[in-house]
Amino acid sequence: MNLPIRPRRNRQSPAIRDLVRETELTPGHLIYPLFLQEGSENTPIASMPGCTRWSLEGLVKEAGEAHALGVPAVVLFPRIPDELKTRGAEACHADDGLVPRAIRALKSAHPTLTVITDVALDPYNSDGHDGLVADDGRILNDETVEVLCQQALCHARAGADIVSPSDMMDGRVAALRAALDGAGFQSVSIMSYTAKYASAYYGPFRGALDSAPKAGDKKTYQMDPANAREALREAALDEAEGADILMVKPAGPYLDIIAKLRAATMLPIAAYQVSGEYLMIKAGAAGGWIDETKIMNESLTGIRRAGADMILTYFAKQWAAAWR
Ligand code: PBG
């Protein structure tokens, strides 16, 4: 064949492939979600093989190991004892609660580790919803936002670097920014779950925390998986309200949303490879059907290629350990 243009020339050796590679993935791009519980036990999570609900001591050790491998940040998800769950979710802003104690322990053991907290009521709410639930079952927006502000302030007082509202209530980013600034926490960042879909991929996570809704579903606040323009609308609002980082969740089945947001904003984009995405890879590998390390790597590279600056992933430590 008389072919002057041969794309394969750029793939012909590892060295040339290194030179032309468009997407870089390093441990520095990863955020490690960690589960925690009261007491001194570290409990393996049945619905998420390879993940553990940590005691405070276990949490500090695990976060330290990930940080030593180059992972810059962790995000915390607590399992709250049933007796502390109420309809008003008051335990979410107790200064001696599990999350504030964990923040203080992490910051004192690992001062350079960035600690991110989840701002939402579901672990604390006897109804299992991210917002307060009215007697008729409606999720109350404005009342919820007030409690979220108290929760974020509690995390900031304990030393959180970034608060991350995952509740999808309207107007919460502006309210959180005003509450934080009003209390002198101008340097606490907001990583907003901007496009959080009502996804079945969260199933294993709810098993890990015992946080599934007691009645109904989350479709009046989380987004319809069929919608993309709506994500752009949420992004414009969160940006105008003062978010520092916008998040898309889940990640793998929503790469188009990541790419659209990347094109629509100058803000950094985060993507959350959620529990169901993680579990499918773990399950496929446990069955001997796929190569876990290669699929882990390819799934994370794809999320970066779509436009995510950072990825929340349960693989963070494992990937960082396998890297180079
Ligand atoms: C709830 C929250 C959820 C996740 C993170 N924060 C679950 C939900 O919305 O029901 C899911 C994370 C995952 O599946 O890995 N505020």
Side-chain angles (χ1 to χ4, degrees):
M1 294 168 80
N2 178 18
L3 279 181
I5 298 175
R6 291 178 180 267
R8 288 185 56 199
R9 275 194 292 269
N10 280 349
R11 301 178 208 134
Q12 66 187 295
S13 69
I16 290 181
R17 290 196 295 274
D18 271 350
L19 289 171
V20 302
R21 187 161 302 118
E22 299 173 35
T23 305
E24 200 192 14
L25 178 66
T26 73
H29 295 114
L30 303 180
I31 297 171
Y32 192 18
L34 289 167
F35 299 100
L36 57 153
Q37 63 186 8
E38 295 285 0
S40 55
E41 302 272 296
N42 299 314
T43 312
I45 299 173
S47 62
M48 297 179 65
C51 291
T52 301
R53 272 195 315 273
W54 299 102
S55 65
L56 282 190
E57 202 181 316
L59 177 81
V60 168
K61 183 164 177 284
E62 179 71 4
E65 287 172 11
H67 195 37
L69 291 167
V71 175
V74 297
V75 57
L76 304 180
F77 293 103
R79 185 198 210 176
I80 302 301
D82 281 339
E83 58 275 17
L84 290 182
K85 297 186 184 185
T86 57
R87 293 194 63 196
E90 285 85 358
C92 78
H93 50 80
D95 285 315
D96 60 350
L98 183 56
V99 167
R101 276 181 280 134
I103 298 166
R104 288 190 291 264
L106 286 168
K107 292 304 289 187
S108 84
H110 315 299
T112 59
L113 178 72
T114 292
V115 176
I116 307 174
T117 60
D118 196 63
V119 173
L121 304 185
D122 51 312
Y124 303 92
N125 180 325
S126 44
D127 298 297
H129 276 284
D130 294 19
L132 300 173
V133 184
D135 290 338
D136 62 4
R138 278 178 309 127
I139 308 298
L140 298 168
N141 192 89
D142 302 15
E143 295 82 345
T144 298
V145 170
E146 281 179 31
V147 185
L148 297 174
C149 287
Q150 296 189 52
Q151 184 180 23
L153 287 174
C154 166
H155 296 169
R157 282 192 295 272
D161 298 289
I162 301 178
V163 295
S164 190
S166 70
D167 56 288
M168 290 300 281
M169 297 299 119
D170 293 332
R172 90 281 208 211
V173 172
L176 290 174
R177 189 69 271 158
L180 290 167
D181 289 354
F185 294 115
Q186 283 86 356
S187 59
V188 172
S189 304
I190 299 176
M191 178 165 76
S192 177
Y193 287 66
T194 294
K196 179 175 180 181
Y197 286 88
S199 173
Y201 285 90
Y202 308 151
F205 174 98
R206 292 179 192 169
L209 292 185
D210 232 349
S211 64
K214 298 286 178 295
D217 53 40
K218 299 193 174 186
K219 291 181 185 170
T220 69
Y221 45 106
Q222 298 181 352
M223 286 172 50
D224 183 341
N227 291 357
R229 291 193 307 266
E230 196 181 341
L232 294 172
R233 190 172 181 224
E234 289 282 5
L237 278 170
D238 283 1
E239 182 162 1
E241 290 180 30
D244 298 285
I245 300 168
L246 305 182
M247 194 200 299
V248 175
K249 176 186 177 182
Y254 295 84
L255 296 179
D256 59 322
I257 307 298
I258 297 171
K260 283 194 163 80
L261 258 59
R262 177 65 291 149
T265 177
M266 292 298 136
L267 289 177
I269 305 286
Y272 197 147
Q273 183 183 53
V274 301
S275 56
E277 300 176 73
Y278 170 84
L279 181 71
M280 290 195 303
I281 295 173
K282 283 286 177 187
W289 291 298
I290 57 170
D291 181 320
E292 178 170 339
T293 302
K294 287 182 179 160
I295 298 268
M296 166 176 73
N297 194 51
E298 190 173 329
S299 67
L300 294 170
T301 300
I303 295 165
R304 283 272 299 147
R305 190 193 62 240
D309 298 289
M310 64 199 89
I311 307 172
L312 295 87
T313 174
Y314 302 100
F315 284 122
K317 184 182 163 201
Q318 184 183 341
W319 190 87
W323 187 66
R324 302 257 161 109

